[in-house]
Structures are given as C-alpha cells and as structure tokens.
Amino acid sequence: MVTSSAPGKVYLFGEHAVVYGEPAVPCAIERRARVTAEEIDEGLVVHADDLQLDGFTVEYVGDDTDHPDVDAENSLVEAATGYVNEAVAQVRDAADAPDAGFEIWIESDIPLGAGLGSSAGVACAAIDAGCRELGVELPRAEIADRAYQVEAAVQDGEASRADTFCSAMGGAVRVEGDDCRRLEGVGNLPFVIGYDGGAGDTGELVAGVRELREEYDFAADTVEAIGDIVREGESVLGTEDTETLGELMDFNHGLLGALGVSSRSLDTMVWAARDAGAMGAKLTGAGGGGCVVALDETDAALTALKYTPGCDEAFRAALDTEGVRAE
Ligand code: MEV
C-alpha cells in the first residue's frame, strides 16, 4: 500500500485564457490531496470519504462512473471517481500492467471543484501512488503529462496543462500552451483564500467562455487582454512590487467577470477583501463559485472574509515548493 500527495493551487493570473494559448501563472499552495493505492486482483474500488463535502463514501467497482453505488445526485462524487478512473488507466499504461486492479482511498484538504486544483491534485497523487505500488517511479514531468491526459479526458478535451503541471512540480509555474516551466525566485506571496462552500462545473464554464469567444470579437479580445495582464504581471513577479501584482489581479478579476465566470458570492468575497485593504483580489480557477484569492500582508482581509456573509471558510495559504511526492 502506497500513499502519495500533491498540492492544490491558486491562479495568480490567467485561468480560462490559458485554454486558448495565453500564458498563466498558477502557484502551488500548502493544501494537499492524498491518494493511497493498493494492488488487488482486479477492477477498481474507490473510497472518497473526506473531501470536505458533507462526508461521503464511494465504493465503486468497474470501469465507468455509472456504478449504482455512486450517488448520481452528487456530481462532485462522480467527478472524483471519474478522475481516479482515468488516472488508473494512466497507471496501467505507464507500468505496462493493463490488468492491474486497485483499491484507492482519496483524502483531500482541497475543497472539490472550488478553484484550488483538487482534480489535478487527485490525478497527480493517484498516478504517483498507483505507479509506485506497481514498483514504477515516474519523473514529475511525466506525471504532469499523464495527469493532463486525465483532465483532458474527463473534461472532454477542455483543459490546459496549467493545473496539472503546477500540482506535479510545485512552486509558481508559467504555462503557455505546451511550454510549461517553474518560475524560480518567486518568494512566498501573502495569499488569503475565501471559500464560499460551493463549486463550479469546469467543463461548463470553459465551454461558456468558448462560446462567447466564438460569438464576439470583444470576448476574444478580452481573453487576449488577460494574456497581456499575465505578461505584465511576470515583469513584477519576484520583485517587491506586490502593489502592482494586486492591481493586476483586480484587473484580471474584472475581465473574468466580463467573460461570465464570476458569481455573486465570488464578487462579494473579492470586494470584502479589497474593502479590508487587500492589495488585490480575484476569483481563482474556473469560477462559478468556490474560491477567491487575495493578496494581503496584514490579517485584515482574512478577518473580513471570515465575517463576510456567504464566505464559509477563509485561510492563509503559503506557496508549496514541493510538487507530487510519496508520503
Ligand atoms: C481551471 O482550474 C482552470 C481553467 O483555466 C481550465 C484549464 O486551464 O484547464 C478554467
């Protein structure tokens, strides 16, 4: 039995636009998904009983997510098992063991579907744990690539490499198309996260932006403008100029709102953080609900978020420089 873990992430800049080849800068945070894998004779059994929903256990055997033991009303449960299912396919391929069976346990301190990279964390940790259980140790770059295949398969091809590369490698990273690299010299940024207790459907949100972009030139221009923000942000990243970083985060949030991926609760948390003096605040990830990330060196934004109606949880998150690892 082997356990591996991989970090979640926040997007400093660039979600959604990264799907269309613009650059993005996600940063791994010290909140992890843990996956334990044990080889069994055949099939797949998944237990996922600590994913910060209402507490659930999934026991499912087979090769699709329609097993009757999966609560069909809980799409997040289906999603979690869907990612594990694809991750196990990657493990079988990587280890050249097409018939390997697995019992898998998922635990996570990253809320599911909330913009903190839970699916990428689960995919990376599942691939690493499954492979190690079969005696195969993959380099992190290969885990990143295989985890990307997992996300692309589950999200019908609507995925960039950003989440999975960040979770596999750790630290702050830059992703532009297939060009993925770690950004060295980025110190700890004073991230504060607000979580509304909800989740967005990444596939649907990405499809919504795609439609807008196809319908209106100004939506396509908005996506490109997000790319410009990322390029501008890169020039100050690693310097002391957190004020400019914050300003660019605010701008990025405005453009994501224009693309229709913010929500009332995300906007409320963004404004609560800004009103409390945060240098900048934006939604993180696919949007629709879930998390915002603010830059704040004092505890004012953290405290304000804790008392903001609609904010379920607020916490600080430090940069995690370590990617996927065996526990
Ligand atoms: C989701 O965490 C980030 C998106 O940009 C989708 C992706 O990059 O795959 C919305």
Side-chain angles (χ1 to χ4, degrees), residues 143-208:
I143 294 173
D145 184 54
R146 288 185 177 276
Y148 163 68
Q149 308 299 337
V150 169
E151 285 213 328
V154 177
Q155 291 163 209
D156 291 331
E158 302 268 25
S160 75
R161 292 180 178 273
D163 289 28
T164 40
F165 184 77
C166 184
S167 188
M169 308 307 278
V173 307
R174 181 190 197 275
V175 172
E176 184 171 4
D178 290 343
D179 177 17
C180 307
R181 56 189 162 84
R182 257 183 78 128
L183 294 171
E184 301 307 334
V186 178
N188 218 354
L189 289 162
F191 290 135
V192 173
I193 291 170
Y195 171 41
D196 69 6
D201 182 322
T202 301
E204 266 176 32
L205 289 152
V206 171

Side-chain angles (χ1 to χ4, degrees), residues 80-128:
T81 54
Y83 286 102
V84 171
N85 209 24
E86 292 295 336
V88 165
Q90 289 294 329
V91 169
R92 289 176 177 142
D93 181 62
D96 201 13
D99 300 323
F102 285 99
E103 187 154 7
I104 301 275
W105 291 262
I106 311 171
E107 266 182 87
S108 178
D109 27 72
I110 315 167
L112 268 180
L116 297 184
S118 56
S119 56
V122 167
C124 289
I127 292 170
D128 193 54

Side-chain angles (χ1 to χ4, degrees), residues 45-279:
V45 182
V46 183
H47 308 270
D49 60 359
D50 187 17
L51 296 178
Q52 292 200 333
L53 296 170
D54 295 326
F56 59 81
T57 301
V58 181
E59 279 213 30
Y60 124 89
V61 185
D63 285 329
D64 60 56
T65 49
D66 295 331
H67 188 274
D69 286 349
V70 176
D71 174 359
E73 284 180 14
N74 193 333
S75 59
L76 290 173
V77 176
E78 282 198 27
T81 54
Y83 286 102
V84 171
N85 209 24
E86 292 295 336
V88 165
Q90 289 294 329
V91 169
R92 289 176 177 142
D93 181 62
D96 201 13
D99 300 323
F102 285 99
E103 187 154 7
I104 301 275
W105 291 262
I106 311 171
E107 266 182 87
S108 178
D109 27 72
I110 315 167
L112 268 180
L116 297 184
S118 56
S119 56
V122 167
C124 289
I127 292 170
D128 193 54
C131 281
R132 285 178 192 274
E133 174 70 359
L134 298 181
V136 175
E137 201 174 320
L138 298 182
R140 281 185 171 141
E142 184 173 346
I143 294 173
D145 184 54
R146 288 185 177 276
Y148 163 68
Q149 308 299 337
V150 169
E151 285 213 328
V154 177
Q155 291 163 209
D156 291 331
E158 302 268 25
S160 75
R161 292 180 178 273
D163 289 28
T164 40
F165 184 77
C166 184
S167 188
M169 308 307 278
V173 307
R174 181 190 197 275
V175 172
E176 184 171 4
D178 290 343
D179 177 17
C180 307
R181 56 189 162 84
R182 257 183 78 128
L183 294 171
E184 301 307 334
V186 178
N188 218 354
L189 289 162
F191 290 135
V192 173
I193 291 170
Y195 171 41
D196 69 6
D201 182 322
T202 301
E204 266 176 32
L205 289 152
V206 171
V209 173
R210 182 178 296 284
E211 275 166 30
L212 275 181
R213 194 174 158 269
E214 281 164 7
E215 190 171 354
Y216 299 115
D217 286 349
F218 50 79
D221 293 346
T222 303
V223 167
E224 274 180 39
I226 292 177
D228 292 338
I229 290 175
V230 181
R231 283 179 279 273
E232 188 71 30
E234 281 178 276
S235 65
V236 287
L237 201 55
T239 71
E240 305 278 286
D241 193 358
T242 33
E243 210 173 298
T244 302
L245 276 186
E247 195 172 282
L248 293 171
M249 287 170 75
D250 286 344
F251 215 123
N252 196 161
H253 181 74
L255 297 186
L256 288 166
L259 292 172
V261 298
S262 192
S263 71
R264 191 176 291 268
S265 60
L266 293 175
D267 286 344
T268 302
M269 291 191 291
V270 158
W271 277 107
R274 288 177 188 162
D275 285 347
M279 286 172 277

